[in-house]
């Protein structure tokens, strides 16, 4: 059973470009969470999605950021018109249910660098 | 408002020693407290977790101590090994919810 997969592992973008980060949850997991980790900081919750639904987006910046988890395919975190402050590691995690008590399995992360 | 405060930011321990990392939370609705271990270039991995109905949980060399009245919990690593060198994050959340609030992390270095 493959773990959570994220791609690309590293992404370089220039200011103003778009960044698309992909997350494939573990087999059988229908709940996906996105976190952002700035250098020397902990992970900050961004959004929680279930298949075709956004459950909690309280951590998402109001502009330029969006997320989806379609019925088929990976979850996508999209950042439009990137700025240098978006440079960070973005992690997704998946779980079989929406309960925090169920272990959330993290992917290896996508490291975004905005030039 | 930071809801989970973690200390120290970095910790150096000799092999065989005890590593202690502390966290404090503010939100009394939190009832699930996991600790994660993260190696460079990797995602966090769940190490051990506790719920407030117990004051201590032990798994191998790792122990969580929980003080509900003080809203504090800590991770103890007994007989620390160089392979334990990593960044450790405490987190807190509601058991029936999905998201966690993370501390800022502690970088542990265990010297041989």
């Amino acid at each position: 059973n493959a773990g959570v997969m994220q791609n690309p592992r590293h992404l370089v973008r220039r200011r103003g470009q778009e960044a698309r980060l992909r997350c494939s949850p573990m087999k059988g997991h229908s709940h996906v969470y996105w976190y952002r980790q700035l250098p020397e900081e902990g992970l900050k919750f961004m959004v929680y999605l279930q298949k075709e639904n956004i459950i909690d987006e309280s951590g998402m910046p109001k502009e330029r950021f969006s997320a989806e988890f379609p019925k088929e395919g990976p979850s996508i975190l999209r950042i439009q018109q990137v700025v240098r402050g978006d440079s960070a590691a973005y992690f997704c995690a998946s779980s079989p249910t929406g309960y925090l008590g169920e272990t959330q399995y993290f992917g290896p992360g996508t490291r975004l660098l905005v030039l | 408002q930071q809801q989970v405060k973690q200390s120290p930011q970095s910790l150096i321990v000799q092999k065989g020693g005890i590593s202690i990392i502390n966290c404090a939370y503010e939100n009394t609705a939190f009832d699930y407290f996991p600790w994660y271990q993260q190696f460079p270039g990797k995602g966090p991995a769940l190490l051990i977790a506790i719920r407030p109905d117990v004051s201590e949980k032990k798994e191998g060399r790792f122990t969580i101590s929980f003080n509900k009245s003080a809203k504090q919990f800590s991770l103890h690593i007994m007989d620390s090994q160089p392979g334990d060198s990593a960044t450790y994050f405490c987190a807190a959340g509601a058991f029936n919810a999905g998201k966690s609030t993370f501390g800022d992390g502690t970088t542990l270095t265990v010297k041989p």
Side-chain angles (χ1 to χ4, degrees):
Chain A
N1 187 8
V4 178
M5 299 176 66
Q6 290 187 248
N7 66 81
R9 295 291 306 276
H10 300 273
L11 182 61
V12 179
R13 285 287 178 266
R14 295 191 180 280
R15 281 179 296 170
Q17 292 184 319
E18 179 180 286
R20 281 184 178 241
L21 288 62
R22 295 174 182 78
C23 170
S24 297
M26 288 183 69
K27 187 177 181 180
H29 289 193
S30 59
H31 298 255
V32 166
Y33 313 82
W34 285 93
Y35 292 85
R36 177 165 62 177
Q37 185 177 31
L38 295 170
E40 309 300 325
E41 292 188 15
L43 286 81
K44 299 291 191 282
F45 168 79
M46 298 183 74
V47 63
Y48 162 32
L49 309 104
Q50 210 176 343
K51 286 281 188 180
E52 300 185 278
N53 287 304
I54 296 175
I55 307 301
D56 182 346
E57 57 181 348
S58 58
M60 286 281 269
K62 298 292 184 224
E63 298 177 346
R64 303 187 297 108
F65 286 73
S66 63
E68 63 177 8
F69 189 16
K71 187 176 181 181
E72 301 291 336
S75 175
I76 306 287
L77 179 67
R78 182 183 178 202
I79 311 172
Q80 295 178 290
Q81 299 176 331
V82 297
V83 299
R84 287 198 175 138
D86 297 332
S87 296
Y90 292 83
F91 291 94
C92 78
S94 74
S95 72
T97 71
Y99 294 112
L100 188 59
E102 290 282 344
T103 300
Q104 292 186 357
Y105 294 88
F106 280 82
T110 293
R111 281 143 186 88
L112 172 65
L113 176 62
V114 180
L115 300 177
Chain B
Q1 179 189 16
Q2 185 178 6
Q3 296 189 37
V4 178
K5 294 184 178 180
Q6 183 172 347
S7 63
Q9 189 174 12
S10 62
L11 181 61
I12 300 174
V13 174
Q14 289 294 130
K15 179 182 176 181
I18 302 173
S19 304
I20 302 174
I21 305 170
N22 302 298
C23 282
Y25 64 99
E26 299 172 3
N27 191 335
T28 55
F30 290 159
D31 63 355
Y32 183 72
F33 304 91
W35 284 89
Y36 290 86
Q37 181 188 55
Q38 185 180 29
F39 292 105
K42 305 290 185 182
L46 180 66
L47 192 61
I48 187 173
I50 197 169
R51 295 201 68 187
D53 53 340
V54 296
S55 60
E56 185 175 284
K57 183 175 182 180
K58 184 176 181 179
E59 290 184 2
R61 296 184 294 110
F62 301 91
T63 300
I64 299 180
S65 297
F66 183 79
N67 185 329
K68 187 175 180 178
S69 60
K71 293 189 286 185
Q72 296 176 344
F73 58 109
S74 59
L75 176 69
H76 292 63
I77 305 175
M78 311 300 288
D79 187 26
S80 299
Q81 300 296 312
D84 297 330
S85 297
T87 300
Y88 293 81
F89 293 96
C90 63
F95 185 82
N96 291 330
K99 66 183 181 185
S100 300
T101 299
F102 281 75
D104 283 345
T106 296
T107 301
L108 171 65
T109 302
V110 181
K111 294 201 166 185

